[in-house]
Structure formats: structure tokens, C-alpha cells
Amino acid sequence: MASSLRFRGAASGLRYWSRRQRPAATSLAAVCSRSMASKTPVGFIGLGNMGNPMAKNLMKHGYPLIIYDVFPDACKEFQDAGEQVVSSPADVAEKADRIITMLPTSINAIEAYSGANGILKKVKKGSLLIDSSTIDPAISKELAKEAEKMGAVFMDAPVSGGVGAARSGNLTFMVGGVEDEFAAAQELLGCMGSNVVYCGAVGTGQAAKICNNMLLAISMIGTAETMNLGIRLGLDPKLLAKILNMSSGRCWSSDSYNPVPGVMDGVPSANNYQGGFGTTLMAKVWIWD
């Protein structure tokens, strides 16, 4: 299975960039059991639209970070803040026994965990690996098996709430994995989200996220079509949104993430659709058992 994962990751043509390593702000000798209350270093891989604010919320809660991103520029502000930047996911695993990954696709997750410089190349026994990417549940199960062979624990913990919730620390985490490890995962995820829900065995977090994504896509399409129809019929979009949100048509897409520019502030439609959840990430290819 490991060779299969490496092959599939290599097929993506992904390439990881190197970056000069800075001294850790906290001595690695101070790293102790993850069950202890002291703030020991946490590895974080993937500093995109979601990962960046998530990592910052861990910092706000006092956790030193050991970070990596395929794009070196994404690490600069963390390095400037004194966090340790390393050159590969394997280097993160060598220095941290709790790692969070936030990556765009299944292929990216496979590469980060099972690639030539992946986490599983240097993972320490007893490490807790939490993947907050939205990926195929079958891939999560495969990665969990590979992690178990190395003496580590893998949990899937995809999120809902979008960039706004990532910034405010109000994400919802849907967690799948060994139940005995849920409390250890919850300690970290609670720094980034207001809801951390245990769903069951590995892969069930991803299953819950798929269902949520499906409903969100349907409601967003419906909201966009409804708003377009109302505007074409001469209705003011703000008025129409107000009516929808006090009527039976109300949904998250209409009252919290309206797709029409000028209806509400703090959403992608108010910022030329920058920083939103792209349709390419919504339309994933799933492998069913």
C-alpha cells in the first residue's frame, strides 16, 4: 500500500521547495507527552486560505509552530514571528509529535504523508497526525493504515465554516479516528474551532464533510439562481436577501455567504470573490468502497 500511495503522489508532479531552517523558539528537549498541559511544538503543513488563519489561532493559544508549505512565501510571516520553518513534511515530523495538515486535494495529502519527503519518512512513534484537508475517505483510511505501521495515529478532521470562520476560530471539525485519541485531537482543534465533533472511525469525518459539501453546493446554486431571478425581475438585491432570510428560503448561503456583490460585507462577493471556497475544491473526485 505504501508504494501505491507514493506512486499516486508522484504522478501528480508535485514538487516541494526547500527553505533554510531557523532555530526553534522552544528547545526540542522540552517536548513531552501530548497529554500534558504545557504548550509543546505543533507541526503545521499547508498555509493556504484556510491553513494560514488556522495556524495563527494555534499561535494565539501559545503553541510554538514547526511549519512547512510548498510555497516558501507562505511561511515568511510565520518565520518573521519567530516560528520555525523547515524544508519538508519529513522535517516537520522529525521535530514535532503532533502535526496538522491542511491541503487542497487527496493527491496533495498523499504526497505530504507518503511522498519521498513525506511525514511518514521520519514520523516518531506515538505521534498524532491530524488531517484537516477535505479528501476521499478511502485515502484517509489508507493513510491511517500506513501511519499505524509506523506506530503513529492518524485522524481525519475536515472543517466547515470557510475562511471567515477560520480567521475567527469558529470552524466546525468533523473528526474520524481512534476514539481514545479524540481528547488529544480536541485539545488542538478547539483552538481553531467552536465545534469539534467525533464522528467515528477513520474516514467518517470525511464522509460527514462530503455530505455537508453536497448540501452547501445545492443551496449556493439555489441562492445564486434565486438572487439572479429577483434582480432580473427588478428587485433590489439587499431587499430580496432580507426577505429570504426572514422566510422559508433562508439558508447559510443566503444569510451568511450571499453570492451577490453589495449585499453583505466580509464575504468573497464583497471582495471580487477573493479568498472564497473555489468550485475546483468543491468538485472533488471520490473513490467509493
Side-chain angles (χ1 to χ4, degrees):
M1 186 63 71
S3 60
S4 173
L5 289 174
R6 283 194 293 272
F7 175 78
R8 292 164 69 181
S12 69
L14 296 174
R15 182 163 61 93
Y16 284 90
W17 296 77
S18 297
R19 188 176 185 85
R20 181 172 296 174
Q21 182 176 317
R22 286 170 60 97
T26 302
S27 171
L28 293 176
V31 176
C32 53
S33 170
R34 62 174 175 263
S35 64
M36 296 184 67
S38 61
K39 298 297 193 292
T40 60
V42 175
F44 204 104
I45 298 172
L47 300 168
N49 287 334
M50 294 293 291
N52 178 292
M54 288 168 66
K56 287 178 179 176
N57 280 324
L58 282 173
M59 291 171 59
K60 289 177 183 177
H61 281 81
Y63 287 97
L65 299 182
I66 298 171
I67 61 174
Y68 172 78
D69 190 273
V70 66
F71 298 108
D73 287 348
C75 302
K76 188 177 185 305
E77 62 178 320
F78 292 92
Q79 188 174 42
D80 291 343
E83 306 302 329
Q84 185 177 6
V85 177
V86 295
S87 299
S88 72
D91 291 338
V92 174
E94 187 176 34
K95 297 178 180 295
D97 64 1
R98 295 178 296 177
I99 301 172
I100 297 169
T101 52
M102 188 60 172
L103 304 162
T105 69
S106 294
I107 291 296
N108 298 119
I110 291 169
E111 183 72 9
Y113 280 92
S114 298
N117 292 302
I119 291 168
L120 297 180
K121 291 296 183 182
K122 294 184 179 180
V123 69
K124 296 182 285 188
K125 288 185 178 181
S127 292
L128 177 62
L129 312 176
I130 304 173
D131 182 36
S132 288
S133 317
T134 297
I135 64 174
D136 191 316
I139 299 300
S140 291
K141 293 175 184 178
E142 291 177 2
L143 293 176
K145 290 177 182 177
E146 295 304 312
E148 185 177 6
K149 292 177 183 177
M150 304 301 294
V153 175
F154 177 96
M155 304 186 82
D156 56 306
V159 305
S160 179
V163 176
R167 289 172 180 161
S168 64
N170 289 315
L171 291 168
T172 291
F173 287 88
M174 294 150 269
V175 186
V178 179
E179 188 170 8
D180 289 346
E181 296 288 345
F182 177 63
Q186 190 175 31
E187 175 192 336
L188 297 177
L189 301 180
C191 297
M192 302 176 285
S194 54
N195 299 296
V196 183
V197 183
Y198 180 69
C199 299
V202 171
T204 56
Q206 297 293 350
K209 180 60 190 296
I210 291 172
C211 294
N212 183 76
N213 270 14
M214 180 179 181
L215 185 57
L216 170 60
I218 292 169
S219 65
M220 181 56 80
I221 291 170
T223 300
E225 291 290 352
T226 296
M227 294 297 296
N228 184 49
L229 175 62
I231 292 169
R232 291 173 63 188
L233 292 175
L235 288 170
D236 176 77
K238 285 189 175 181
L239 174 65
L240 177 57
K242 179 179 178 180
I243 293 171
L244 292 175
N245 293 333
M246 61 175 61
S247 305
S248 57
R250 182 183 62 81
C251 62
W252 186 82
S253 297
S254 68
D255 70 6
S256 299
Y257 221 67
N258 197 287
V260 177
V263 172
M264 61 177 56
D265 297 325
V267 295
S269 60
N271 189 34
N272 197 31
Y273 300 99
Q274 297 299 308
F277 184 53
T279 54
T280 54
L281 297 178
M282 176 70 78
K284 296 177 185 286
V285 177
W286 307 104
I287 302 172
W288 305 103
D289 291 335

